[in-house]
Amino acid sequence: MSGPAGTAICVLRCDLRAHDNQVLHWAQHNADFVIPLYCFDPRHYLGTHCYSWPKTGPHRLRFLLESVKDLRETLKKKGSTLVVRKGKPEDVVCDLITQLGSVTAVVFHEEATQEELDVEKGLCQVCGQHGVKVQTFWGSTLYHRDDLPFRPIDRLPDVYTHFRKALESGARVRPTLRMPDQLKPLAPGLQEGSIPTMEDFGQKDPVTDPRTAFPCSGGETQALMRLQYYFWDTNLVASYKETRNGLVGMDYSTKFAPWLALGCISPRYIYEQIQKYERERTANQSTYWVLFELLWRDYFRFVALKYGRRIFSLRGLQSKEIPWKKDLQLFSCWKEGRTGVPFVDANMRELSATGFMSNRGRQNVASFLTKDLGLDWRMGAEWFEYLLVDYDVCSNYGNWLYSAGIGNDPRENRKFNMIKQGLDYDGNGDYVRLWVPELQGLKGADIHTPWALSSAALSQAGVTLGDTYPQPVVTAPEWSRHIHQRPGGSPHPRASKRGPAQHKDRGIDFYFSRKKDAC
């Protein structure tokens, strides 16, 4: 006779997918019954650490609910389902172990930051008390933690370029896992549980704004459809590097980030699809740049592993003493898009209305908050945590530290010029006009500096500063060089995402020469 059937509980968190999922893969091969489990952890719906903004806003909550529902439907097609519970994962797992009496293993992907690590510690304690095996994997990054050329993690470079070059020259991306068509069933008698609604969390379903650049739903199905569309149906990926700094519409960038944040799509799957696209269609700077951005995502996750709680510290990774202000009135102007600086206001209003903001916009509003207003960078980081549909703790805090000048930026005192940025990336003012309709009467580039226009020009446009639109809360001296300047047409070639522009193509050249050598 065979022994008692073993049951594996797969605790899913930011890995809401059936493809390339090592947790599900391991359980499938090591248990007779498999319980894919998602817990709506009440701690995720409390206040943020410093300023008590809500941790999870309506846009991300809706996207999460859609992703959970989609994964359940996908697993049902494979003979399983997603068990859903409300509660702390460690408590839910403890209850299931006691209820079932057959649990032999608890399996999960490891995360990088403190709150998630605390959950893992709690799970290990529960399993230890019940004599249940704990099996963990690393699965959130393109490059596996154990394959980094920096061991231990303390040796991780503090400059992204050094990290990127080392990986591109000496590391390999592991292949995606082949997942079975059918999964093992749930343990007998276990109820799948209902998926909660927005109202269960005291939130209203947000109205989809027709202006949004991200009109998409959550879930693995939508993520894979987006990749199919962006790569194979339209070839948009082949021009990504030229369009990625766009501001209006769905197609200027991949828009993978919200799905990556919840693990609805695997970065390794994206990598394999890029490789396939380069073999079958074209390999150029744009296809490389998708990988370049995935590497930034990896880097911030590994930075979190290296520095731990310091990524949340006021003084940052560099332990810099900066006299940050905590002016809540000034912060309200920023978060509500009422600073009187149209390019900033347009971006902040888009974030509030849709949960999304372009990469270019994020860099600018973060620079404005930290460098022009001098406000505590954590106010901005926690506001983004609340509102962003693609909130990822490591990328969010890594980018805010970078913008505040206390993170991984090799350049001292990097500061964005709001007027120049507006002219470079929204030269005709179409983006500002979309989100700041009270300025629609201002023509062309004048919309970026309404305070510099004559009373007659403002009156003709129906604008009254201090009434229909705010006076600027601050003006930086360097802005004056660009007032009344006509936009130069194409974006400034050196206004790239991060890092010195002169050197970035060397990585591209190396990438293509290595590919040729490997053929």
Side-chain angles (χ1 to χ4, degrees):
M1 281 180 68
S2 62
T7 298
I9 299 175
C10 300
V11 181
L12 302 177
R13 295 183 289 173
C14 293
D15 46 3
L16 299 180
R17 64 179 182 269
H19 75 277
D20 193 32
N21 190 318
Q22 197 164 4
V23 166
L24 295 175
H25 186 271
W26 183 91
Q28 179 72 11
H29 292 89
N30 290 277
D32 296 320
F33 302 104
V34 175
I35 303 173
L37 171 68
Y38 185 82
C39 299
F40 285 90
D41 190 332
R43 292 166 292 198
H44 294 172
Y45 305 94
L46 302 175
T48 55
H49 183 69
C50 295
Y51 292 97
S52 294
W53 324 134
K55 266 194 175 184
T56 303
H59 303 290
R60 188 162 78 259
L61 178 57
R62 178 172 66 181
F63 196 80
L64 171 62
L65 293 170
E66 291 166 345
S67 299
V68 168
K69 181 181 178 182
D70 180 73
L71 182 57
R72 173 173 281 183
E73 291 171 356
T74 298
L75 293 178
K76 281 186 173 180
K77 293 172 186 173
K78 294 176 176 289
S80 179
T81 188
L82 180 65
V83 174
V84 172
R85 297 289 187 268
K86 283 187 75 173
K88 299 176 182 178
E90 55 270 42
D91 295 342
V92 172
V93 167
C94 184
D95 291 343
L96 288 174
I97 291 173
T98 304
Q99 173 192 341
L100 297 171
S102 63
V103 176
T104 51
V106 170
V107 200
F108 56 84
H109 280 119
E110 296 176 41
E111 291 292 338
T113 45
Q114 194 61 48
E115 291 178 4
E116 291 74 19
L117 295 177
D118 289 344
V119 170
E120 294 170 20
K121 183 179 178 182
L123 288 169
C124 290
Q125 288 174 345
V126 165
C127 291
Q129 292 163 4
H130 290 85
V132 172
K133 173 186 174 70
V134 174
Q135 180 67 50
T136 66
F137 298 101
W138 182 263
S140 59
T141 50
L142 178 60
Y143 286 89
H144 196 283
R145 176 183 59 188
D146 296 342
D147 297 339
L148 295 180
F150 322 107
R151 306 284 298 276
I153 199 67
D154 290 355
R155 293 180 55 215
L156 181 80
D158 285 327
V159 176
Y160 168 75
T161 302
H162 301 162
F163 164 81
R164 175 182 60 77
K165 288 181 176 179
L167 261 65
E168 289 178 343
S169 61
R172 288 285 181 265
V173 176
R174 295 184 182 186
T176 55
L177 295 166
R178 182 168 182 174
M179 304 297 289
D181 293 330
Q182 289 293 302
L183 296 175
K184 300 281 181 68
L186 297 187
L190 185 63
Q191 299 298 310
E192 65 177 8
S194 60
I195 297 173
T197 64
M198 297 285 295
E199 290 72 22
D200 290 333
F201 296 94
Q203 299 202 38
K204 293 181 179 178
D205 197 0
V207 176
T208 299
D209 193 301
R211 299 169 291 180
T212 184
F214 189 76
C216 303
S217 302
E220 178 180 22
T221 303
Q222 291 294 317
L224 298 177
M225 286 174 60
R226 174 62 182 176
L227 186 145
Q228 172 69 28
Y229 169 81
Y230 196 82
F231 284 21
W232 303 103
D233 296 346
T234 63
N235 292 309
L236 285 165
V237 67
S239 56
Y240 168 70
K241 189 167 183 283
E242 289 72 49
T243 64
R244 67 194 173 89
N245 280 308
L247 299 166
V248 179
M250 182 66 183
D251 290 343
Y252 63 79
S253 64
T254 67
K255 303 294 194 297
F256 292 156
W259 292 294
L260 279 166
L262 289 180
C264 298
I265 192 167
S266 159
R268 298 190 301 186
Y269 177 75
I270 297 173
Y271 174 83
E272 288 184 357
Q273 289 292 302
I274 283 284
Q275 299 277 296
K276 185 171 186 281
Y277 187 90
E278 290 180 334
R279 288 192 304 270
E280 297 181 8
R281 299 268 176 100
T282 187
N284 60 18
Q285 293 189 359
S286 288
T287 55
Y288 167 78
W289 215 258
V290 174
L291 304 182
F292 180 91
E293 300 290 6
L294 285 175
L295 265 180
W296 263 110
R297 181 178 174 274
D298 274 18
Y299 182 59
F300 282 136
R301 194 153 294 248
F302 295 132
V303 166
L305 283 180
K306 176 178 179 177
Y307 283 101
R309 291 178 184 266
R310 281 175 64 184
I311 69 168
F312 306 110
S313 163
L314 180 66
R315 298 168 63 186
L317 310 184
Q318 302 178 18
S319 296
K320 276 188 182 178
E321 287 287 358
I322 297 175
W324 301 108
K325 294 185 294 188
K326 299 185 179 182
D327 185 327
L328 290 176
Q329 188 173 356
L330 209 52
F331 177 75
S332 290
C333 292
W334 178 82
K335 74 183 178 72
E336 294 167 11
R338 294 185 297 103
T339 67
V341 182
F343 193 55
V344 173
D345 291 346
N347 277 286
M348 293 308 297
R349 293 183 193 188
E350 180 186 16
L351 174 63
S352 182
T354 71
F356 191 81
M357 188 193 296
S358 69
N359 174 62
R360 179 57 45 186
R362 295 180 201 204
Q363 294 175 76
N364 275 279
V365 301
S367 178
F368 185 77
L369 180 124
T370 57
K371 302 294 175 63
D372 289 304
L373 301 182
L375 292 175
D376 179 357
W377 66 273
R378 298 171 304 177
M379 299 173 92
E382 291 188 2
W383 190 250
F384 272 30
E385 179 175 354
Y386 163 50
L387 278 180
L388 279 176
V389 70
D390 63 359
Y391 171 73
D392 170 295
V393 58
C394 301
S395 294
N396 185 60
Y397 280 86
N399 272 306
W400 273 97
L401 288 166
Y402 193 102
S403 293
I406 52 176
N408 298 96
D409 190 351
R411 265 176 57 182
E412 284 285 328
N413 301 317
R414 183 192 303 265
K415 183 186 180 189
F416 282 83
N417 182 317
M418 295 301 113
I419 309 309
K420 183 180 184 305
Q421 288 282 305
L423 292 171
D424 280 350
Y425 296 101
D426 187 33
N428 195 46
D430 293 336
Y431 174 71
V432 169
R433 224 165 269 112
L434 184 67
W435 290 103
V436 190
E438 61 266 41
L439 297 181
Q440 281 182 350
L442 297 176
K443 305 302 181 187
D446 285 346
I447 199 169
H448 290 292
T449 54
W451 63 88
L453 300 177
S454 67
S455 298
L458 290 172
S459 178
Q460 186 177 359
V463 176
T464 305
L465 294 183
D467 181 14
T468 62
Y469 186 71
Q471 293 278 1
V473 294
V474 65
T475 53
E478 65 270 17
W479 296 356
S480 62
R481 298 197 301 270
H482 303 282
I483 291 176
H484 303 311
Q485 178 183 316
R486 298 301 93 188
S490 61
H492 194 291
R494 292 191 61 184
S496 63
K497 178 174 179 183
R498 281 174 285 234
Q502 303 100 307
H503 305 302
K504 66 188 178 189
D505 287 349
R506 293 181 187 175
I508 295 171
D509 293 342
F510 178 83
Y511 172 76
F512 289 120
S513 65
R514 190 184 75 167
K515 284 177 68 66
K516 189 171 76 170
D517 294 341
C519 290

